[in-house]
Amino acid sequence: MKVLLEEKHSLLEEVEARSGQKVQECYQCSKCSGGCPFSGIMDYAPNSILEMIVYGLKDQLLSSKAIQMCIQCGTCGAQCPAGFEMYEVMNVLRELAKEEGYVSREVKIPKMNQIFLGEVRKGGRMHEVNLMVKNMLSQGELVRDVTSLIPIGPPMFVKGIMGMGDVFAHKIQGQAQVEQIFAKIEKMRGGVAS
Amino acid sequence: MKSGYFPGCSLHSTAKNYESSTQAVCKNLDVQLEEIPDWNCCGSTPAHQTDHLLALALPARNLALAERAGMKEVLAPCAACFNHLRTAELECAGNRETQRRVEGVLGMTYGNSVHVMNILEFLVERVGIDKISAKVKRPLKGLRIAPYYGCMLTRPAKIARFDHPVNPLSMDHLLEALGADVVAWGAKTECCGAAHVLTRPDVVIELSGRIIYEAKDSGADAVATACPMCMSNLDLRQNAMTKATGKEAKVPVLYLTELLGLALGISRAELGMRKHVVSTAPVLEKIS
């Protein structure tokens, strides 16, 4: 591990300023990690992430899987005795990682997000069948995914949860407005919005 | 009473019974729902994980359209849509600079005049438990229900601004008013694993399994939910839970609005009761 002392805790200052959360006030009680539904599959648990920010371990942190896994369920924040919202910190870390061009060690979640947002950009709404099929084809776990779909897919059609009308995507009238939202943000970010 | 209405993508596809039961219940309670014209996807977790401005602008287009249509309040029955629309509502209202940036990418004006509500907030605070209990025709007597709130109805607390973040009681009170026995259980605000089902189904089956088995162990006949993503993880994956643990899952999961509709005497057909993978027959038998 490389500790960037020469950066004078610039990561800490940056994260605190952007998130509005006082990272240094964390007492390392680990309640956030105990509550987080995904800490078991994260490479760094939430309380470790806070410590890494203090130590300025930027490269490890911004390329970590953990920061891509937070879905803002808010369990950590609801339990934090210091009263801060960890999800705000996670949002800032993902933002920094993108701005500085870090490649995450977590590839599946960003890929799924891209497919999801691609559907929204194209039609204005998320199309569940397209999302499921495209995601399955792109994640490289086709056998696992098809196997897990076999007990679910047919009952969904039999029970009428899905119908033939759900197979094809429809565009909303204002699709061009939605496309414009994506295009403008993409331009602001230098071509890498989603 | 009139209210704006944002169904969201799921209520038009895998959660059609959430839509039909919400519509039927509102009609019964004299609420006219007016759908936001030409609404778009709220962006959900993928937008939130990808770009903060995108995660505000996508829901904000819906708020701007609602404002244009003269709506002051909007009901978003999907817990995730509610959470993302509410985030846009609060961030635009709380910061002029954010509002201007959002308006810039939207190419539309938005004057912060729309308030977004989740289904519980709407039923308990707008319609009122008294009015609902006065309309109950077939009390859910003897039915033991585990009220499941999940994450997005009450957390993060500064976004949801509704009920208690880890021990909410509004659904408990509503179900009690319908005559049900509300079970005390420990998983009411546990996360089901949400959209990670598409990338890590193993983890989601474990997380959702904990909720289902907790409900079963507490003696519940059914779980009540107000989120299409939770419904899909909890209802669709019970075979996989059984396979993973060797212990039979088999707990019916119903939308809160379906249970409410049954208590109000609305027909099963109108509510869309057949659209569940785990059979709801034991629940229906118990209250018929």
Side-chain angles (χ1 to χ4, degrees):
Chain A
M1 269 194 197
K2 192 168 62 173
V3 180
L4 301 174
L5 288 175
E6 73 273 18
E7 288 199 5
K8 287 269 178 197
H9 298 161
S10 63
L11 180 65
L12 174 65
E13 284 162 7
E14 182 86 31
V15 171
E16 287 197 337
R18 286 200 197 197
S19 69
Q21 305 299 313
K22 298 258 174 272
V23 175
Q24 283 191 98
E25 284 178 12
C26 166
Y27 354 116
Q28 284 297 317
C29 75
S30 307
K31 274 182 86 82
C32 50
S33 302
C36 174
F38 306 110
S39 59
I41 53 165
M42 284 175 170
D43 40 6
Y44 305 112
N47 69 304
S48 311
I49 289 174
L50 293 171
E51 198 154 28
M52 289 165 81
I53 295 169
V54 175
Y55 289 143
L57 301 175
K58 194 173 176 179
D59 293 347
Q60 288 93 323
L61 209 43
L62 297 189
S63 60
S64 70
K65 290 184 171 217
I67 63 170
Q68 305 294 335
M69 284 176 177
C70 173
I71 56 165
Q72 199 173 306
C73 75
T75 310
C76 50
Q79 299 180 346
C80 176
F84 70 77
E85 291 288 5
M86 180 75 193
Y87 77 88
E88 300 260 35
V89 173
M90 294 296 230
N91 287 349
V92 167
L93 291 172
R94 264 198 313 274
E95 205 171 273
L96 285 172
K98 213 171 85 182
E99 283 173 18
E100 302 191 18
Y102 279 86
V103 177
S104 177
R105 291 194 293 276
E106 169 59 49
V107 289
K108 294 187 177 192
I109 295 168
K111 200 180 281 174
M112 192 275 280
N113 289 343
Q114 216 176 5
I115 294 166
F116 184 109
L117 293 174
E119 289 304 308
V120 177
R121 185 170 185 164
K122 234 172 36 194
R125 290 181 191 166
M126 186 263 293
H127 187 256
E128 288 177 333
V129 173
N130 277 355
L131 171 66
M132 277 189 270
V133 171
K134 287 183 184 172
N135 182 63
M136 232 162 44
L137 294 174
S138 74
Q139 295 288 7
E141 303 233 30
L142 202 55
V143 174
R144 178 201 73 179
D145 289 344
V146 171
T147 315
S148 77
L149 208 62
I150 289 169
I152 298 170
M156 282 178 85
F157 280 92
V158 172
K159 299 262 185 177
I161 296 171
M162 290 276 220
M164 284 316 283
D166 298 315
V167 176
F168 304 104
H170 307 281
K171 255 189 206 179
I172 63 166
Q173 285 171 0
Q175 184 272 333
Q177 289 174 351
V178 174
E179 162 60 33
Q180 181 197 272
I181 295 173
F182 278 92
K184 280 189 183 170
I185 295 175
E186 204 167 74
K187 206 174 162 194
M188 276 179 206
R189 309 283 187 249
V192 284
S194 54
Chain B
M1 187 170 85
K2 267 188 178 178
S3 173
Y5 175 60
F6 180 81
C9 308
S10 293
L11 271 74
H12 277 202
S13 53
T14 49
K16 286 191 197 76
N17 46 342
Y18 194 14
E19 159 118 318
S20 54
S21 55
T22 299
Q23 296 272 13
V25 160
C26 283
K27 199 171 140 199
N28 187 287
L29 296 171
D30 310 313
V31 177
Q32 284 170 273
L33 294 180
E34 192 191 339
E35 192 166 318
I36 297 176
D38 204 45
W39 55 269
N40 59 275
C41 171
C42 73
S44 197
T45 303
H48 149 248
Q49 288 187 326
T50 302
D51 191 288
H52 189 60
L53 185 55
L54 184 66
L56 294 179
L58 287 173
R61 177 177 176 271
N62 297 308
L63 299 180
L65 289 172
E67 189 172 72
R68 239 182 231 183
M71 299 169 187
K72 294 267 172 261
E73 293 187 322
V74 168
L75 164 65
C78 167
C81 295
F82 153 72
N83 208 285
H84 295 106
L85 290 169
R86 174 69 68 86
T87 302
E89 174 197 335
L90 293 174
E91 290 209 21
C92 288
N95 188 322
R96 277 288 292 153
E97 177 55 28
T98 305
Q99 187 200 354
R100 267 197 294 266
R101 285 176 68 214
V102 167
E103 285 180 330
V105 290
L106 285 185
M108 293 165 89
T109 54
Y110 173 56
N112 294 323
S113 68
V114 180
H115 177 61
V116 184
M117 280 179 296
N118 68 46
I119 188 83
L120 273 172
E121 193 175 357
F122 182 75
L123 291 170
V124 173
E125 290 177 10
R126 280 295 174 278
V127 180
I129 289 186
D130 289 349
K131 180 173 177 184
I132 294 171
S133 55
K135 287 212 163 194
V136 169
K137 287 210 178 76
R138 290 173 53 197
L140 307 179
K141 243 182 148 171
L143 195 64
R144 293 185 302 265
I145 303 175
Y148 177 63
Y149 299 75
C151 320
M152 302 262 162
L153 287 176
T154 63
R155 289 193 309 265
K158 73 173 196 186
I159 294 170
R161 297 190 182 181
F162 171 71
D163 215 330
H164 190 278
V166 283
N167 188 22
L169 290 167
S170 49
M171 197 190 317
D172 298 50
H173 293 154
L174 180 56
L175 290 168
E176 277 162 11
L178 305 181
D181 288 337
V182 177
V183 304
W185 67 317
K188 58 160 66 165
T189 52
E190 294 294 311
C191 175
C192 73
H196 286 327
V197 73
L198 290 171
T199 49
R200 287 297 299 266
D202 54 329
V203 177
V204 171
I205 286 159
E206 195 194 322
L207 292 170
S208 293
R210 278 189 215 161
I211 295 160
I212 288 297
Y213 291 120
E214 175 77 26
K216 203 178 171 104
D217 292 345
S218 65
D221 298 310
V223 171
T225 181
C227 175
M229 185 83 240
C230 298
M231 171 59 86
S232 130
N233 284 341
L234 296 177
D235 182 42
L236 283 173
R237 306 277 167 172
Q238 291 196 21
N239 276 334
M241 293 171 198
T242 305
K243 223 171 143 188
T245 59
K247 186 180 159 192
E248 193 184 39
K250 216 174 179 181
V251 180
V253 186
L254 283 88
Y255 285 113
L256 170 68
T257 44
E258 291 179 305
L259 289 163
L260 173 54
L262 289 170
L264 293 172
I266 301 170
S267 77
R268 295 168 194 185
E270 202 180 338
L271 294 170
M273 287 296 297
R274 280 189 63 244
K275 296 185 171 68
H276 292 274
V277 170
V278 177
S279 171
T280 56
V283 173
L284 299 171
E285 271 163 32
K286 216 163 172 175
I287 53 169
S288 60

